[in-house]
Amino acid sequence: QVQLVESGGGSVQAGGSLRLSCTISGSTSSIGFMGWFRQAPGKKREGVAAVFADGSRTFYSDSVKGRFTISQDNAKDTLYLQMNSLKPEDAAKYYCASVRRGRAINMWSADDYDDWGQGTQVTVSS
């Protein structure tokens, strides 16, 4: 079992930056892949960034490419999402999620992820 706890959300003006953190505990060695998702009211949960657990490759949705950076500090068992040049449409609740090793997934499909955090709210004012 993997436990994920997000933090770092808050309110910023458009153009500002935030860094989200996801603290990972439990069976961390079982994780093969991790992602950041977001969900705005009335909308589907949307994947925005993803990374192999070994950090070998990162992936971004078109909506955040060039503005967001996913990274990890394995020594601290923490996943990060650096968000720059924030726009009002980035406002949502952000979640980190993990996938166990050995499974093929669609990285942008929330249904394919095994474990989720409780989310952290990001508000962007124009």
Side-chain angles (χ1 to χ4, degrees), residues 24-54:
I24 309 157
S25 61
S27 302
T28 56
S29 61
S30 69
I31 298 173
F33 199 80
M34 295 202 71
W36 283 99
F37 285 74
R38 66 186 182 188
Q39 189 167 22
K43 294 192 175 181
K44 280 184 61 176
R45 194 165 291 194
E46 170 195 19
V48 297
V51 63
F52 281 104
D54 63 5

Side-chain angles (χ1 to χ4, degrees), residues 8-93:
S11 296
V12 295
Q13 289 193 324
S17 298
L18 281 174
R19 187 176 80 158
L20 306 183
S21 299
C22 173
T23 303
I24 309 157
S25 61
S27 302
T28 56
S29 61
S30 69
I31 298 173
F33 199 80
M34 295 202 71
W36 283 99
F37 285 74
R38 66 186 182 188
Q39 189 167 22
K43 294 192 175 181
K44 280 184 61 176
R45 194 165 291 194
E46 170 195 19
V48 297
V51 63
F52 281 104
D54 63 5
S56 57
R57 285 193 68 187
T58 58
F59 307 87
Y60 299 94
S61 67
D62 289 342
S63 60
V64 307
K65 199 172 293 182
R67 300 188 298 122
F68 289 13
T69 303
I70 188 171
S71 64
Q72 59 201 85
D73 183 336
N74 288 334
K76 295 182 180 179
D77 285 334
T78 304
L79 182 73
Y80 300 101
L81 185 68
Q82 178 67 44
M83 306 187 295
N84 298 330
S85 303
L86 282 162
K87 305 175 182 179
E89 52 263 42
D90 293 319
K93 196 164 189 179

Side-chain angles (χ1 to χ4, degrees), residues 2 4 6 22 24 31 33-37 45 49-51 70 79 95-99 110 112-117:
V2 172
L4 306 171
E6 301 94 336
C22 173
I24 309 157
I31 298 173
F33 199 80
M34 295 202 71
W36 283 99
F37 285 74
R45 194 165 291 194
V51 63
I70 188 171
L79 182 73
Y95 300 85
C96 66
S98 64
V99 180
D112 284 359
Y113 285 73
D114 298 306
D115 297 292
W116 292 83

